[in-house]
Amino acid sequence: MATWNDVAAVLFPDVTRTPEDYETMYPPRDLAEGARVTRVAPSPTGYLHLGVFYSALIDRLTADASKGLFYFRLEDTDKKREVEGGADDILASLNRFGLPIDEGFVAPGKVTGDYGSYVQSERVEIYHTYVKWLVENERAYPCFCKPEENAKTREQQEARKLRTGYYGAFAPCRNLSADEALQKLQAGEPYVVRLRSDGDEERRVKFDDMIKGHIEMPENDEDFVLLKSDGVPTYHFAHAVDDHLMRTTHVIRGDEWLSSVPKHLQLFRLLNFKAPKYAHISPIMVEEDGHKRKLSKRKDPQAAMHFYAEQGYPAASVLEYLMTIASSEFEQWRKANPTADRRTFPFNIKKMSVSGALFDLNKMNDVSKNVIAVMSADDVTAAVLAWAEEYDKDFFALLDRDRELAKNIFAIDRDKPKPRKDMAKWSDAPEYTAFFFDETYVPTTELPESVSPADAKAILAAYAADYKEVSDQSEWFERVKAICAPLGFCPDVKEYKQNPDAYKGHVGDVSTVLRLAVTGRRNTPDLCRIMELLGTDRVLARLADTANAL
Ligand code: GLU
């Protein structure tokens, strides 16, 4: 009579190690008491979803709050979804947006750590070792049911309004003897390997999710698949083996996995593993026509981290904004600590909202404007150049022609107590800086409502006649004031308001005429500095050209 050991030996002829060997190879980590080990475990789809990035941020914060460790594992068991270079792309996005990884894949092409391989497709021998052990211990068995048979069972279950799935009386291969299983294997019948569930639908599993709180669900009685017909593990099985052997203490993931926790706890128990703590994050939501819905990869460009790279959002902005949706206490904290490093915020995963965080791009832009407003001119210039080099070659060429000028442009008004908030992202820079370059300056004949073309011409001519490049803002303003009175404009706004009928307008109108002529805009940063950076020739040319066009 054959035994289950015989079946296991035929199923896994190449397995030479035992679970104990792996326990020795991957011992508990040597970390301080209470240190939390977290991980991000994406599939190599070449696309980092904001939701995955968000959970990676929570992983990072959770590890940091306990002097723990955050690692990266590649879940590449679904070859259909795999994209060439997809893992590198995801890593590049994580790196770019400022989430350092301590172990596993830390950067494209760079792997560190003693708990590898960090690629699931390279861990098949490990999975097989554990499945072999389960088969030997009659906790798993090969199942030879064909997909058509399973589909038929499902139809019957649906017709009888029963729970669908491979369980109890609907799990025929569960009852095969070792001899029968062996015969089928020897006849070359294809198979999957299933768990021999010891669960009972009538009993309940209880656990505490760090975000969702206390949860009770029916035990799992389904003989779910551990290894697919090609020998590759299912997510459930790989999760248990990997997170155990890599010594993950906290599994933080999307709440689409919450309903699978009974299966996972069962696996951890049957494999004699200590179960990790779970934290299930609700999906990020967006509002559309007054309704909330999940952020969708298909409908929302902002679901992909590529979007933030292309738009040129600084990593600090993305992280700062995500902090505001990760913790309702963050904004308050930020107000009290305006210049503190975001990482010193006392983050507590248990305080995360149970319902999905709402993502609002306008709010993100506001947050980003504040972040950019307090950056140094050097940092802004470097970041804009790096962004432009990748995403806007023409703009890059303009800036690169004179990097000193570029820096001077981004420095305008930056040291003021209330810095301007013109840019939310680097892709706003070409528009913001357009009038500094003849190639992108757009002249206008627009005038303030109260100023006639003839008066505007007179203003432009008078200012040009006595033009002098100055650095001092008050001196510059005095020179503008000086042309007012002879042209019938009041050099003082207050005075004008007391007696408006006595004037054609005031100094504000005069400077607006100049601003429109020199920049093509009504609203710009410090015009004195702009003129200085443009240089006398260019300023005079624009004054003359505008006057001619009026
Ligand atoms: N590869 C899994 C996914 O993309 C990871 C889930 C987890 O973090 O365990 O859904």
Side-chain angles (χ1 to χ4, degrees):
M1 245 194 25
T3 65
W4 286 100
N5 280 353
D6 300 328
V7 176
V10 171
L11 282 171
F12 303 104
D14 299 330
V15 168
T16 53
R17 291 197 170 113
T18 64
E20 289 81 64
D21 293 334
Y22 288 114
E23 290 299 322
T24 318
M25 282 168 72
Y26 305 114
R29 289 173 183 272
D30 188 14
L31 291 172
E33 180 80 22
R36 294 175 172 181
V37 178
T38 61
R39 86 296 190 273
V40 60
S43 302
T45 53
Y47 169 96
L48 182 58
H49 190 283
L50 179 69
V52 176
F53 183 78
Y54 180 59
S55 67
L57 168 64
I58 308 305
D59 281 307
R60 180 75 263 173
L61 292 168
T62 302
D64 288 346
S66 62
K67 298 206 170 33
L69 177 145
F70 169 52
Y71 73 89
F72 182 109
R73 173 173 75 230
L74 190 63
E75 306 221 320
D76 64 341
T77 53
D78 186 354
K79 291 292 171 192
K80 284 195 290 289
R81 290 176 62 207
E82 186 158 345
V83 167
E84 173 107 14
D88 283 355
D89 196 276
I90 289 176
L91 276 159
S93 278
L94 283 165
N95 290 168
R96 172 176 206 139
F97 288 101
L99 286 186
I101 297 159
D102 303 318
E103 182 184 297
F105 282 80
V106 294
K110 186 158 181 252
V111 189
T112 64
D114 297 332
Y115 288 81
S117 164
Y118 297 90
V119 184
Q120 287 188 329
S121 62
E122 294 172 7
R123 300 174 61 80
V124 170
E125 200 184 321
I126 305 179
Y127 306 124
H128 286 190
T129 304
Y130 281 90
V131 179
K132 183 179 184 201
W133 182 83
L134 286 172
V135 172
E136 287 166 352
N137 289 279
E138 297 184 43
R139 291 270 56 115
Y141 62 88
C143 165
F144 303 91
C145 289
K146 299 190 175 61
E148 313 85 79
E149 290 167 334
N150 291 337
K152 218 181 206 153
T153 305
R154 194 187 168 90
E155 270 172 34
Q156 287 166 2
Q157 288 169 328
E158 277 168 358
R160 290 166 58 191
K161 301 212 168 6
L162 293 170
R163 201 157 40 87
T164 56
Y166 203 94
Y167 62 90
F170 300 105
C173 289
R174 189 183 167 92
N175 301 319
L176 292 178
S177 66
D179 273 318
E180 288 167 323
L182 213 48
Q183 268 169 26
K184 284 177 181 286
L185 286 176
Q186 274 152 2
E189 281 193 41
Y191 62 89
V192 297
V193 181
R194 290 183 183 274
L195 180 78
R196 194 185 294 280
S197 174
D198 61 348
D200 179 345
E201 246 280 301
E202 301 298 315
R203 289 195 306 250
R204 300 185 71 77
V205 210
K206 298 174 187 172
F207 65 97
D208 289 304
D209 187 275
M210 298 192 79
I211 298 172
K212 307 267 179 189
H214 186 72
I215 303 226
E216 295 192 16
M217 283 192 239
E219 280 184 7
N220 169 64
D221 66 352
E222 205 189 318
D223 288 357
F224 61 90
V225 174
L226 305 177
L227 288 185
K228 297 181 240 181
S229 55
D230 54 3
V232 169
T234 54
Y235 168 78
H236 306 307
F237 191 64
H239 154 51
V241 171
D242 291 347
D243 281 314
H244 169 68
L245 290 180
M246 296 181 184
R247 309 290 172 176
T248 311
T249 62
H250 290 65
V251 169
I252 300 168
R253 61 186 176 187
D255 71 359
E256 69 272 22
W257 295 113
L258 186 63
S259 61
S260 304
V261 174
K263 286 189 174 109
H264 300 162
L265 290 176
Q266 180 180 27
L267 276 178
F268 276 87
R269 176 171 49 76
L270 293 176
L271 288 161
N272 297 326
F273 297 161
K274 180 174 186 285
K277 288 246 177 359
Y278 285 105
H280 287 91
I281 302 183
S282 307
I284 294 179
M285 311 293 280
V286 284
E287 207 164 270
E288 187 180 62
D289 307 329
H291 296 285
K292 281 190 195 173
R293 62 164 175 80
K294 276 193 210 171
L295 181 68
S296 139
K297 180 174 164 176
R298 209 165 37 81
K299 292 191 197 155
D300 308 306
Q302 69 269 33
M305 293 310 288
H306 286 153
F307 170 82
Y308 303 93
E310 284 156 18
Q311 295 286 314
Y313 284 97
S317 301
V318 176
L319 292 169
E320 182 85 6
Y321 177 63
L322 291 181
M323 287 305 297
T324 68
I325 64 171
S327 168
S328 58
E329 293 170 3
F330 184 76
E331 280 178 274
Q332 197 79 30
W333 176 86
R334 177 50 87 207
K335 273 204 192 99
N337 304 276
T339 55
D341 185 329
R342 150 190 80 70
R343 287 166 296 186
T344 58
F345 171 71
F347 179 75
N348 183 348
I349 192 169
K350 289 189 179 164
K351 290 191 184 168
M352 278 183 79
S353 137
V354 176
S355 60
L358 189 67
F359 183 89
D360 177 351
L361 199 56
N362 291 327
K363 182 100 191 280
M364 159 106 191
N365 284 334
D366 287 344
V367 167
S368 189
K369 281 180 184 171
N370 289 332
V371 169
I372 291 176
V374 296
M375 284 171 71
S376 73
D378 279 332
D379 288 351
V380 170
T381 310
V384 173
L385 277 163
W387 170 82
E389 191 165 19
E390 199 172 345
Y391 296 106
D392 190 338
K393 296 268 188 274
D394 291 344
F395 182 53
F396 177 76
L398 291 181
L399 290 185
D400 192 42
R401 203 160 61 193
D402 186 346
R403 288 187 178 223
E404 193 54 31
L405 171 67
K407 192 187 130 182
N408 285 328
I409 292 172
F410 293 119
I412 301 180
D413 288 350
R414 202 156 270 283
D415 50 3
K416 299 240 166 96
K418 275 209 165 160
R420 294 176 61 94
K421 293 178 184 169
D422 297 286
M423 289 189 287
K425 49 198 188 305
W426 308 134
S427 54
D428 293 339
E431 165 71 12
Y432 173 61
T433 59
F435 55 80
F436 283 101
F437 308 100
D438 289 338
E439 291 87 338
T440 49
Y441 155 70
V442 183
T444 179
T445 51
E446 192 189 323
L447 293 172
E449 269 158 41
S450 54
V451 181
S452 71
D455 285 331
K457 280 185 181 211
I459 290 170
L460 294 171
Y463 189 67
D466 194 26
Y467 184 73
K468 186 170 155 234
E469 194 175 298
V470 293
S471 305
D472 182 71
Q473 240 248 296
S474 44
E475 189 185 344
W476 178 87
F477 196 48
E478 286 308 319
R479 300 185 70 83
V480 178
K481 280 184 179 171
I483 62 168
C484 287
L487 299 173
F489 287 82
C490 182
D492 186 281
V493 182
K494 250 197 222 140
E495 213 175 295
Y496 169 80
K497 282 190 177 152
Q498 279 159 11
N499 199 2
D501 294 339
Y503 303 97
K504 291 181 175 168
H506 57 73
V507 63
D509 299 316
V510 173
S511 64
T512 301
V513 170
L514 298 175
R515 191 182 304 275
L516 280 162
V518 172
T519 68
R521 309 239 173 113
R522 272 176 184 272
N523 180 8
T524 71
D526 179 9
L527 188 56
C528 162
R529 181 66 176 144
I530 290 172
M531 289 186 173
E532 194 183 5
L533 291 178
L534 285 172
T536 303
D537 291 349
R538 199 175 272 118
V539 170
L540 290 178
R542 289 185 186 181
L543 295 175
D545 290 348
T546 306
N548 286 337
L550 283 170

